[in-house]
Amino acid sequence: MVSSWTGVVLALLVFMVWRRTRRQSLNDIRGPVVPSRLFGHEKMARYSEEVGDLELQWGRAFGPTFRTQGCYGEEKLWTADPKALQHVFHTSGYRYPKGTLVTEVGKLFSGEGILSAAGDDHRRQRKIMNPAFSTGQLRAFLPVFRRSAARLSEKWKEELQITLPFGGRAINISPMLGRMALDVVGEAAFDDQFGALDGNENELARAFDSLFADSFLHPPPWDILFKATWRYLPPSVLGLIKYLPTKEYKRFRSYLRVAFRRGKELIEQKSSGAEKGSKDIMSILVQSNLSEDAETRLSEVEMLSQIATLLIAAHDSIANTLAWLLYELARHPEDQQKIRDEIIATRARIEARHSDDFTPADLDAMIFTNAVIKESLRLHPVAPVLVREAGYDDILPLAVPIQTKSGKATTEIPIASGTQITASVWTYNRLESVWGGDAAVWNPARFLDHKERTNVGVFANLMTFSAGIRGCIGWRFALLELQVVLTELIETFDFRIPKDVEIVGLNAGIMMPIVKGKLKEGVQVPLHLSVLR
Ligand code: HEM
């Protein structure tokens, strides 16, 4: 036993020495003191108390770009610089892939779908999926968003009346927002009525519940070290990782099993022709899979994987974004009233033209409401960091010069092939050089001034939906859903912040809102609601 441990430690030492002698290109770049030779900054980053803690501290000391260290002495570049992000995510196309770790983790919960596909496979999958997210197609989802938003209002009204018929009270808004997002994706993506808001038990929803918190939040140290070795493992070994018998890996396995089983039933229904003319995302994919052209086809596993992917991509992202949005409006009642006034004025115009309800054009024309949505997406990005890996030796251009260890100011960093780039969405969205001196605080009016900013990201110069060829395919879907749900909720309820409640973000792969100091109580956003109509 002792000798096998000695063997493991020796192998580790040899590996770390080999790493140090490998070509490192970031030697002259400054960065924070390394707290552990074995873990580098990895463990402290995964255990930070709040998203943004470390970023803020490091950014103040070194600016938007600096060097950090991964496990076993691996050097990494950390950046929030707009020009660097533009280069990595936009200009370079597939030359900065996600890398082995991100891809393999993606496969654990989304199979062989678009989120984990690389290069030509990704290009093909994206081409096939794009039509399902076109502007025209999104109009078909409008009634789905409206129905679920109205149902959510009813459920909250019921919840409020149970305890207090007059006035309001504080409720945790997170669970019902999650159920609403689930009902929406069930219907829009698969034409499946989950009935989550009505309390229906759903196997898929159960398998999915708290998946990220259970599997990514505060991983055990062995898992951090283990994951750091993945990039050196051959594909045959990587393919076995999903069978590991520990809690983290079992949860993913059971989620994928349930998603694939349900997916098979859905695809059979849709392929039988019984649902011709259906506008849900899967029906569109099934139709395009009838094509003879291999370029417009998905394999069965890829098709099933899109089901697991869409459920994950469109659920917590929407629920958490709405929770942050309502939290900010509860903290800023004057802005809440301003958007309520804008909504009421728009409704009056809609009624005057004898229309039924808000069209996408009506929603887009609500300038201040949209500024509020953008400001909340800016301050609370669901994915606070995105990781990429240089696929070739490169020079990374910077907009904000950095001071190197040797005292030079530079706007170009040599990058060796294989170097990992950690893109901080959270910090980019708060850069004073992009957003102005008040970048750290809430100010939706910044989106009203039409000032020229950088041109990063798929929406509003934000990195929240990422950027370039792998930017969020569902951003228009998400925006329309946010607009519709926010409109319904702000017309129906007044939101206030209960005394002494502060919400902070925790990084569990995605940013989860929790009450500061109450991590054990899990995701929650308690707000005081009273009914207005
Ligand atoms: C506020 C809501 C949302 C946010 C903030 C968001 C954010 C993101 C981000 C940051 C990525 C890039 C991930 C990476 O590079 O690793 C992404 C990708 C993706 N998102 Fe979203 N998303 C949202 C909603 C949605 C919705 C509603 C859908 C589908 C209906 C969706 C589908 C996808 C898919 C399929 C990808 C993978 C795209 C690709 O790799 O080509 N997302 N999203």
Side-chain angles (χ1 to χ4, degrees):
M1 183 68 181
V2 172
S3 64
S4 56
W5 274 113
T6 317
V8 171
V9 172
L10 267 178
L12 210 58
L13 283 175
V14 170
F15 180 64
M16 286 171 79
V17 170
W18 171 77
R19 277 227 60 91
R20 289 192 70 79
T21 53
R22 244 183 117 222
R23 194 163 55 98
Q24 309 246 356
S25 63
L26 304 177
N27 285 340
D28 200 25
I29 307 300
R30 297 184 310 150
V33 174
V34 181
S36 151
R37 275 172 189 259
L38 194 57
F39 288 98
H41 296 101
E42 216 62 26
K43 196 166 149 204
M44 72 191 291
R46 300 303 303 271
Y47 278 78
S48 77
E49 278 189 10
E50 268 177 50
V51 171
D53 269 0
L54 290 172
E55 283 94 330
L56 214 58
Q57 209 180 306
W58 292 345
R60 276 198 196 116
F62 307 106
T65 305
F66 48 85
R67 184 173 58 87
T68 61
Q69 194 163 302
C71 297
Y72 316 117
E74 180 189 0
E75 61 175 24
K76 299 181 176 192
L77 191 75
W78 194 101
T79 189
D81 184 281
K83 207 163 174 181
L85 296 179
Q86 177 85 359
H87 181 81
V88 169
F89 287 86
H90 269 287
T91 325
S92 304
Y94 287 106
R95 287 181 296 171
Y96 277 83
K98 288 188 171 177
T100 309
L101 177 61
V102 177
T103 303
E104 293 302 320
V105 167
K107 279 186 192 167
L108 290 176
F109 61 79
S110 66
E112 307 286 329
I114 188 167
L115 207 58
S116 50
D120 284 344
D121 278 337
H122 177 265
R123 190 178 289 118
R124 174 176 49 85
Q125 293 197 22
R126 183 99 187 189
K127 196 170 150 196
I128 295 167
M129 290 179 74
N130 270 336
F133 292 91
S134 66
T135 319
Q137 169 65 25
L138 287 183
R139 280 182 159 268
F141 298 144
L142 207 54
V144 178
F145 299 154
R146 278 199 203 119
R147 262 197 308 278
S148 292
R151 191 80 192 109
L152 172 64
S153 278
E154 282 168 29
K155 291 310 264 187
W156 273 346
K157 280 186 191 168
E158 282 169 21
E159 201 173 335
L160 289 170
Q161 273 167 11
I162 287 169
T163 49
L164 210 60
F166 313 105
R169 71 172 181 109
I171 57 175
N172 175 13
I173 60 167
S174 284
M176 282 294 185
L177 287 174
R179 288 176 187 205
M180 188 223 60
L182 194 62
D183 282 348
V184 165
V185 68
E187 201 174 339
F190 321 125
D191 198 15
D192 201 359
Q193 306 287 337
F194 286 162
L197 275 170
D198 292 320
N200 286 358
E201 276 293 309
N202 180 290
E203 197 191 10
L204 198 50
R206 225 177 14 251
F208 173 72
D209 191 37
S210 305
L211 187 66
F212 280 83
D214 288 352
S215 311
F216 285 134
L217 185 63
H218 300 166
W222 69 263
D223 197 36
I224 297 178
L225 290 173
F226 173 51
K227 286 204 170 91
T229 64
W230 289 10
R231 59 187 306 187
Y232 307 104
L233 301 178
S236 53
V237 178
L238 287 173
L240 299 175
I241 285 172
K242 59 176 179 248
Y243 300 110
L244 283 173
T246 66
K247 183 188 92 175
E248 300 75 15
Y249 298 89
K250 274 179 162 160
R251 281 285 337 246
F252 287 136
R253 223 168 33 245
S254 69
Y255 169 65
L256 271 193
R257 202 173 38 240
V258 175
F260 276 31
R261 190 186 328 121
R262 182 73 193 116
K264 273 193 178 141
E265 291 164 10
L266 287 169
I267 291 170
E268 262 166 39
Q269 270 171 27
K270 292 175 193 310
S271 308
S272 69
E275 302 191 5
K276 259 211 159 112
S278 291
K279 293 257 188 217
D280 62 279
I281 297 174
M282 283 314 288
S283 293
I284 293 173
L285 296 187
V286 167
Q287 285 306 312
S288 103
N289 242 29
L290 298 175
S291 153
E292 295 288 305
D293 178 3
E295 264 296 291
T296 57
R297 302 253 309 262
L298 296 169
S299 70
E300 191 194 8
V301 173
E302 285 170 348
M303 185 75 102
L304 294 172
S305 301
Q306 309 310 348
I307 292 179
T309 306
L310 288 172
L311 200 53
I312 283 190
H315 180 253
D316 282 344
S317 60
I318 292 285
N320 290 354
T321 298
L322 276 166
W324 286 113
L325 189 45
L326 295 173
Y327 169 65
E328 288 294 359
L329 288 171
R331 288 174 71 204
H332 300 96
E334 64 297 343
D335 288 339
Q336 189 181 151
Q337 191 52 45
K338 248 169 126 173
I339 68 173
R340 188 170 294 118
D341 292 344
E342 194 173 49
I343 293 165
I344 291 168
T346 310
R347 189 172 289 288
R349 277 199 300 279
I350 292 168
E351 280 168 7
R353 67 167 194 251
H354 307 292
S355 299
D356 275 354
D357 217 327
F358 293 75
T359 62
D362 294 323
L363 293 164
D364 284 342
M366 295 197 297
I367 306 289
F368 192 70
T369 306
N370 286 300
V372 160
I373 292 175
K374 288 175 191 168
E375 183 68 347
S376 189
L377 284 166
R378 182 182 75 85
L379 289 172
H380 307 293
V382 166
V385 294
L386 295 169
V387 176
R388 293 294 186 265
E389 202 171 286
Y392 64 127
D393 288 352
D394 194 17
I395 302 284
L396 191 67
L398 303 179
V400 183
I402 56 161
Q403 198 77 24
T404 63
K405 279 188 195 162
S406 53
K408 276 190 318 202
T410 184
T411 52
E412 290 187 334
I413 300 181
I415 300 288
S417 170
T419 304
Q420 191 182 297
I421 314 278
T422 308
S424 176
V425 173
W426 191 91
T427 308
Y428 163 76
N429 282 358
R430 283 171 167 76
L431 275 191
E432 289 192 4
S433 57
V434 176
W435 304 100
D438 65 349
V441 296
W442 171 263
N443 174 19
R446 80 180 73 251
F447 285 101
L448 302 178
D449 64 11
H450 305 293
K451 239 195 256 161
E452 265 297 295
R453 294 199 173 88
T454 46
N455 188 14
V456 176
V458 293
F459 174 64
N461 285 318
L462 298 167
M463 272 299 285
T464 308
F465 291 109
S466 187
I469 46 174
R470 302 210 68 141
C472 178
I473 200 171
W475 74 267
R476 286 191 190 82
F477 181 116
L479 189 61
L480 193 58
E481 185 174 352
L482 295 175
Q483 289 170 326
V484 171
V485 177
L486 187 65
T487 305
E488 160 71 31
L489 296 180
I490 294 296
E491 270 191 304
T492 313
F493 301 101
D494 181 64
F495 295 87
R496 295 287 146 134
I497 196 90
K499 201 163 167 276
D500 299 331
V501 165
E502 187 187 344
I503 304 296
V504 294
L506 265 190
N507 190 357
I510 56 168
M511 186 163 75
M512 301 183 339
I514 61 156
V515 174
K516 190 171 184 148
K518 296 196 174 166
L519 166 63
K520 288 221 163 70
E521 293 176 18
V523 174
Q524 58 166 333
V525 179
L527 294 184
H528 189 280
L529 267 69
S530 39
V531 181
L532 297 176
R533 65 169 187 179

